[in-house]
Amino acid sequence: MLAGCSSTPAPVVKTVTVSKPVYVLPPSNMMATGCPLRPFNGTTNLDLHRYTLQLITDIKICNLESEQYQQWRSIQVCMTEPDSCQKK
């Protein structure tokens, strides 16, 4: 039967979209464990001393940022995958 001659309406197809956020975390190996070191360009012992002090500061900052990233990541994993989170 032709659609124009039919007494029954044509079926209506509706697409229903359900939005659910998907959280994607950066991989844990993305955070490098080493810190980039600046080259030494000095010529005197005083330059070397200042360079050493700056390296110590840089390494402390790098370690702190790495620790903060790991803490943030563990919180995010617990929020997105509660079953994989160990309760203490």
Side-chain angles (χ1 to χ4, degrees):
M1 185 184 292
L2 296 174
C5 300
S6 175
S7 62
T8 59
V12 178
V13 178
K14 291 185 179 181
T15 303
V16 179
T17 304
V18 179
S19 297
K20 182 179 177 186
V22 176
Y23 300 98
V24 179
L25 297 174
S28 59
N29 63 354
M30 183 177 166
M31 188 65 184
T33 55
C35 300
L37 301 177
R38 62 183 78 203
F40 176 64
N41 295 325
T43 56
T44 66
N45 285 337
L46 182 58
D47 292 339
L48 180 60
H49 175 72
R50 289 179 180 155
Y51 173 74
T52 304
L53 294 177
Q54 188 60 51
L55 281 182
I56 291 170
T57 302
D58 291 348
I59 291 171
K60 286 180 181 179
I61 290 171
C62 183
N63 288 341
L64 179 62
E65 288 175 353
S66 178
E67 182 180 316
Q68 288 173 342
Y69 169 77
Q70 294 300 334
Q71 288 175 355
W72 173 85
R73 183 174 171 70
S74 65
I75 291 169
Q76 299 305 311
V77 167
C78 287
M79 289 174 54
T80 57
E81 305 168 13
D83 296 336
S84 66
C85 183
Q86 296 178 355
K87 296 188 179 187
K88 295 179 180 178

